[in-house]
Amino acid sequence: MMKTLYTLLLLALGSPALATALMVAPPQSQPILIQGGTLHTVTQGVLPNTDLLVEAGRIRAIGTALPVPADARLIDASGQRVYPGLIALANTLGLEEIEMIRSTVDSEEVGQLNPQLRAAVAYNPDSELIPTVRSNGITHIQLTPSGDLLAGTSSLLNLDAWNLDDALVPGGEGLHLYWPDLHLSVSDDELAERQRQRQQRQLTQLNQAFEQAYGYYLNRQLAQRQDRRWQAMLPVFEGQRPLFVHADTQPQIEQALRLADRYRLKMVLVGGYDSYRLIDQLLAQQVPVVYTHANSLPLRRHEPVDLPFTIPTLLADAGVELALAYPGSWDSRNLPFAAGYAAAHGLGGARALKAITLSPANILGLSDMGALEVGYRANLVISDGDLLDMGQSRVSMVLIDGRQIDLNNRHKQLYHKYLNKPAR
């Protein structure tokens, strides 16, 4: 036992897996002209054999045979595909390093009412996991707190930065609410009663919190004492910041929709497994869905095995604004491949790509990200194959705000190390 504890301590304090030595890319210093690529613009369809000019971190021109600016760096993208950088919602990258070592996990705070907390303050920009995720084309994450009930505020970060200030993208914040689990045991009456009582306590606590916060919002000018919790919720009641509600089952979603309607909140549903059963309500309240089960098994044993793959198509066909997410830290690198599953089950490549680029940007209220458009941030991914296909995707270049990112990572280093191991 002591030997095991000693080993874990060494891992926590001395392991190189906790920090990456890769250099942060400097600001763009010269124009970059990407020539002859197939541009997956998201907004204007697919443009084959097209050039794209990047200057000062922005896309300045798109077209065929663009003139070459003085001192421009030329990139031959012939035979390659150019995509917008992917945005990974509901993410804990930089908050969790080694799941089994508690000292490297900082994604959740004690207590159930923490709207004043910001997940970003615990972000580790030197995480060894970050390079492995961005190597699959993910340039930004919505750093999201975990927990029960009101867990705190998320922020949008770019994945190549010296520190938190460099990583933050202004305007991408949102408050996160984890709806109480409403499951009741069907085989144990005593357990079911305990679950019912816990649910009632949580729902009562949640309703009281919103009543107090809304009262503070209405009377904040007369408040005798500033309450940091309710102060943090003012942008939500003012409609300036969305409320991300994490819920999967129909009863949870129905209760959350009633809460959002009562206080006229800008709600975003996260999880959303049963969202296809409530399409009319979602459309009526204009609630986007961040669907997190595109690579999951069915929630219930009697459901078709491919139902999780087809739910995004049901939502998109009905007109619900859809984003796809792959919650977690290191495993969020699979986001493009989860989108590929949805694409293969009716969503199609164009809508699947939009669900991990432009739709997340729209949900976060950002109007200059998520597409290859003139004036947009130059967050680009160049791949030799289909970015959503695990068998084809070979990312050769990533730009964040026009800066070329080092695609080396620990996984690649270990791969080459053992690839060259001499035979005995």
Side-chain angles (χ1 to χ4, degrees):
M1 180 65 179
M2 289 301 297
K3 182 178 180 181
T4 301
L5 291 175
Y6 180 69
T7 301
L8 292 176
L9 182 61
L10 287 177
L11 285 171
L13 298 179
S15 172
L18 296 183
T20 177
L22 297 180
M23 292 296 293
V24 174
Q28 183 183 2
S29 60
Q30 64 181 128
I32 298 175
L33 182 60
I34 302 172
Q35 297 178 307
T38 298
L39 306 188
H40 292 253
T41 67
V42 178
T43 54
Q44 303 296 325
V46 179
L47 304 179
N49 194 27
T50 302
D51 300 345
L52 185 147
L53 176 64
V54 176
E55 289 182 325
R58 297 272 175 173
I59 299 173
R60 296 304 181 191
I62 295 175
T64 56
L66 291 178
V68 180
D71 301 325
R73 177 187 173 196
L74 302 182
I75 297 175
D76 183 5
S78 301
Q80 299 188 84
R81 308 183 188 200
V82 184
Y83 299 89
L86 309 186
I87 301 173
L89 300 177
N91 200 281
T92 55
L93 184 65
L95 298 179
E96 299 179 1
E97 195 73 18
I98 303 174
E99 294 179 3
M100 296 301 293
I101 300 181
R102 181 65 185 89
S103 60
T104 72
V105 178
D106 201 8
S107 57
E108 182 175 345
E109 188 55 88
V110 297
Q112 297 186 323
L113 298 177
N114 296 305
Q116 77 283 2
L117 299 182
R118 296 175 62 237
V121 300
Y123 179 63
N124 174 22
D126 293 321
S127 168
E128 190 71 40
L129 305 178
I130 291 174
T132 69
V133 171
R134 69 187 182 204
S135 291
N136 277 5
I138 297 171
T139 60
H140 292 76
I141 62 168
Q142 180 198 33
L143 193 67
T144 302
S146 303
D148 295 321
L149 302 186
L150 289 169
T153 299
S154 62
S155 300
L156 185 68
L157 310 180
N158 81 68
L159 290 185
D160 186 66
W162 287 104
N163 50 49
L164 175 60
D165 290 338
D166 292 340
L168 277 171
V169 178
E173 294 82 14
L175 180 63
H176 288 258
L177 166 59
Y178 290 79
W179 205 264
D181 180 11
L182 302 181
H183 170 77
L184 294 176
S185 173
V186 296
S187 59
D188 187 326
D189 292 341
E190 292 184 4
L191 176 60
E193 181 57 29
R194 290 196 299 272
Q195 291 172 331
R196 185 180 293 105
Q197 292 176 3
R198 182 175 185 273
Q199 292 169 12
Q200 189 56 52
R201 287 196 302 270
Q202 287 186 313
L203 290 171
T204 299
Q205 188 177 15
L206 181 61
N207 286 321
Q208 289 176 345
F210 269 87
E211 288 176 5
Q212 293 178 40
Y214 189 65
Y216 183 91
Y217 160 70
L218 294 176
N219 301 285
R220 58 189 181 278
Q221 303 298 334
L222 303 176
Q224 298 296 320
R225 179 178 60 87
Q226 186 178 88
D227 192 312
R228 294 180 59 196
R229 296 173 302 167
W230 313 146
Q231 189 75 20
M233 294 180 66
L234 293 181
V236 176
F237 290 115
E238 293 168 348
Q240 300 175 2
R241 186 174 294 175
L243 175 69
F244 291 86
V245 180
H246 298 248
D248 274 315
T249 65
Q250 182 171 346
Q252 287 178 305
I253 299 170
E254 288 174 334
Q255 291 181 358
L257 289 171
R258 287 196 291 270
L259 177 80
D261 183 60
R262 183 185 315 150
Y263 295 106
R264 298 184 295 279
L265 305 178
K266 186 190 300 182
M267 173 180 157
V268 178
L269 177 62
V270 183
Y273 185 90
D274 281 346
S275 56
Y276 71 98
R277 301 181 178 186
L278 298 164
I279 284 176
D280 290 341
Q281 293 94 313
L282 294 172
L283 290 173
Q285 293 184 225
Q286 298 181 330
V287 174
V289 176
V290 178
Y291 183 72
T292 63
H293 302 281
N295 195 28
S296 301
L297 292 173
L299 185 64
R300 305 170 183 91
R301 287 183 295 177
H302 65 273
E303 293 175 331
V305 69
D306 63 345
L307 178 60
F309 309 148
T310 59
I311 289 174
T313 304
L314 298 176
L315 295 172
D317 285 349
V320 175
E321 184 169 8
L322 169 72
L324 298 175
Y326 200 108
S329 56
W330 64 269
D331 48 345
S332 63
R333 62 185 178 179
N334 292 317
L335 173 64
F337 310 134
Y341 270 98
H345 285 79
L347 191 61
R351 291 195 298 183
L353 179 62
K354 180 181 178 182
I356 53 177
T357 54
L358 186 60
S359 289
N362 289 339
I363 288 171
L364 294 172
L366 301 171
S367 59
D368 62 351
M369 291 179 61
L372 302 183
E373 285 273 3
V374 174
Y376 275 42
R377 294 171 180 260
N379 303 318
L380 312 176
V381 179
I382 301 179
S383 174
D384 290 336
D386 185 351
L387 190 61
L388 307 188
D389 188 327
M390 187 179 293
Q392 295 185 34
S393 177
R394 293 181 299 277
V395 174
S396 59
M397 182 177 291
V398 171
L399 301 182
I400 296 179
D401 294 327
R403 302 177 296 117
Q404 183 174 348
I405 308 306
D406 189 344
L407 293 182
N408 191 15
N409 60 60
R410 189 166 180 81
H411 287 183
K412 292 180 179 179
Q413 294 168 1
L414 292 174
Y415 171 76
H416 290 295
K417 172 183 176 180
Y418 290 103
L419 187 66
N420 295 298
K421 180 181 179 182
R424 291 188 177 181

